[in-house]
Amino acid sequence: MPTRREILAAFLGLPAALAACNLRSASALPEGELVGASDQVGHRLRDYTLLNPPSDKWERKRVVIVGGGVAGLSAAWRLLKAGLTDFTLLELENEPGGTARSGRSQISAYPWGAHYLPVPMSGNSDLIALLDEMGILEGRAEDGSPIVAEQYLCRDPEERVFYRGRWYEGLYLRAGASGDDLAQLDRFNAEINRWVAWRDRRGRRAFSIPVAASSDDAEATALDRISMAQWMNQRGFSSPRLRWFVEYGCRDDYGLSLENTSAWAGLFYFCARLPRPGHETQPFITWPEGNGRLIAHLYNQAKAQVRTGLAVTDLVPTDSGVDVIAVAYDGSTAVGIHADQVIFAAPHFLSRFVIRPWRENPPAHVAEFHYGSWMVANLHLNERPASRGFPLAWDNVLYESPSLGYVTATHQRGPERGPTVLTYYYPLTEGDQQAARKKLLSIDRAQWADVVLSDLQRAHPEIRELTTRLDVMRWGHAMISPRPGFIHGSARRAALKSYRGIHFAHSDLSGVALFEEAFHHGLRAADEALKAVRL
């Protein structure tokens, strides 16, 4: 059994572990629990494949959607818009949403994963229509861009970074930056502006949201063949502050280091949300519960068709459609559905375990899908923590931490006093992702709580006294990893193709785990299914 110091050193580094052990013991942790996705239930899928429903437990549906994350709920939204109601959505967990799920306490609603949505650009008409339907828009600008109501835009202060005992505004650490640091930042921004202005012969941007709208020109796709670290090295970007800043972006959206992130994906993070060279990035739409607000709206539209607590164990293509077998969460009962078409909106790596013909002979492309592991914790505080320097912001990042810091769930309310909920994010960026998942699951809720509090107490020494509850979510396959060669490789192209009445939909089919990408693939797969059932 590892000691507390060994655990803290493994997750926070030895200096932080020594400091934490000297400051405070771990004897008085706040109450809380391990919540959310169960790795054990997912692993039992292989055992459930032997279960077959009796003849009286079969039904018929035009379409079955497998998975109730953003992609699955978006597919349901599209089917309903098209007038098709004869479908069902099957979700393993007891509530839908996937990594966009949220929670709620007496203090506030809070996210368990994705927590913002950049204002879409004018060309993303479907997403704009969804936001309009939700009552978030006040109209359109002359260029067609949506005008978002002020209360839904992230209010100031938006971001800050903690460094050597003090908070500073923004995420790039300007305090103490040398002339060379700032010169390299200017050169980096010039590179970003060059790519934002770049267009191929068809007028497409190099980096667009959704990814499907991006250029496939050789000059742009060549970026996917090298890592972001190699791209920076080639251009002499050696400034530690700049490299930290860029790596933070890779960890934030992909859970990867500079060395493991495709240069295409690294530049996508900085370019895709810029409308024009030299402009600010698109503003963020956010709510206390993060993207859980979007999930709630989509779920409410399709609630009558959604069935939770059911693990799909078998998809069996037949001459007349696809037979779907699902097992109750506890393995007690099995149900069967004769479907005309299936939308597989679960993570793509599961397809080899669920699609019966693929079990013994899975397509080669499935093995190319790799996923990062994350831990997310929600801390319930009876008072806002004190800050030295720049005040509490929405996004609060610790410069010398392997975590991403935390977002403040109550930020949109305004007053910076009273109880709050802080959502803390920790990506496991080890190059060996199987080892990362093992590390994620190697410690329990109490040990994770100690890691979180020990990390945050370097910025907030009083954090243990303020925290009344601390819950932990472990995501073993949290998001797709855009490693070099994946975005513009053959595996992703192959995964987009339907297979015998099964249409694939998930953000991992884009190579970047964004709401917009899951939404896009949900709509695309729904359109494919609609076309098939109406032939």
Side-chain angles (χ1 to χ4, degrees), residues 199-211:
R199 297 292 185 275
D200 66 12
R201 287 174 291 180
R202 293 170 54 187
R204 295 174 298 178
R205 293 168 56 116
F207 309 99
S208 291
I209 299 176
V211 168

Side-chain angles (χ1 to χ4, degrees), residues 155-158 160 167 384-385 387 389-396 406 408 410-411 415-417 420 422 460:
R155 72 174 188 87
D156 290 332
E158 189 172 305
R160 66 174 183 169
W167 290 98
R384 314 291 169 96
S387 296
F390 198 74
L392 186 68
W394 172 63
D395 193 10
N396 307 266
Y406 61 88
T408 309
T410 55
H411 183 71
E416 298 301 342
R417 59 182 181 275
T420 190
L422 308 182
H460 304 300

Side-chain angles (χ1 to χ4, degrees), residues 340-360:
D340 293 337
Q341 301 287 307
V342 164
I343 297 172
F344 190 87
H348 199 69
F349 79 94
L350 290 172
S351 62
R352 63 168 298 183
F353 303 112
V354 177
I355 299 174
R356 185 176 289 182
W358 287 8
R359 286 207 194 104
E360 293 185 2

Side-chain angles (χ1 to χ4, degrees), residues 122-140:
S122 58
N124 200 340
S125 57
D126 288 317
L127 184 53
I128 292 172
L130 174 65
L131 296 177
D132 197 20
E133 180 179 285
M134 293 176 64
I136 291 168
L137 305 185
E138 292 183 337
R140 302 284 190 93

Side-chain angles (χ1 to χ4, degrees), residues 32 52 73-74 111 125 132 186 227-228 232 237 242 291 299 305 327 340 413 415 417 511:
N52 285 301
L73 292 172
S74 300
S125 57
D132 197 20
D186 287 342
S227 72
M228 195 61 187
M232 296 189 76
F237 290 132
L242 177 61
N291 289 3
Y299 176 49
Q305 283 87 4
V327 179
D340 293 337
R413 292 183 185 174
R417 59 182 181 275

Side-chain angles (χ1 to χ4, degrees), residues 81-105:
K81 291 294 182 187
L84 180 67
T85 59
D86 184 20
F87 72 90
T88 192
L89 184 155
L90 305 176
E91 164 58 32
L92 167 66
E93 299 294 335
N94 287 322
E95 57 183 280
T99 55
R101 285 173 55 182
S102 61
R104 181 176 293 275
S105 71

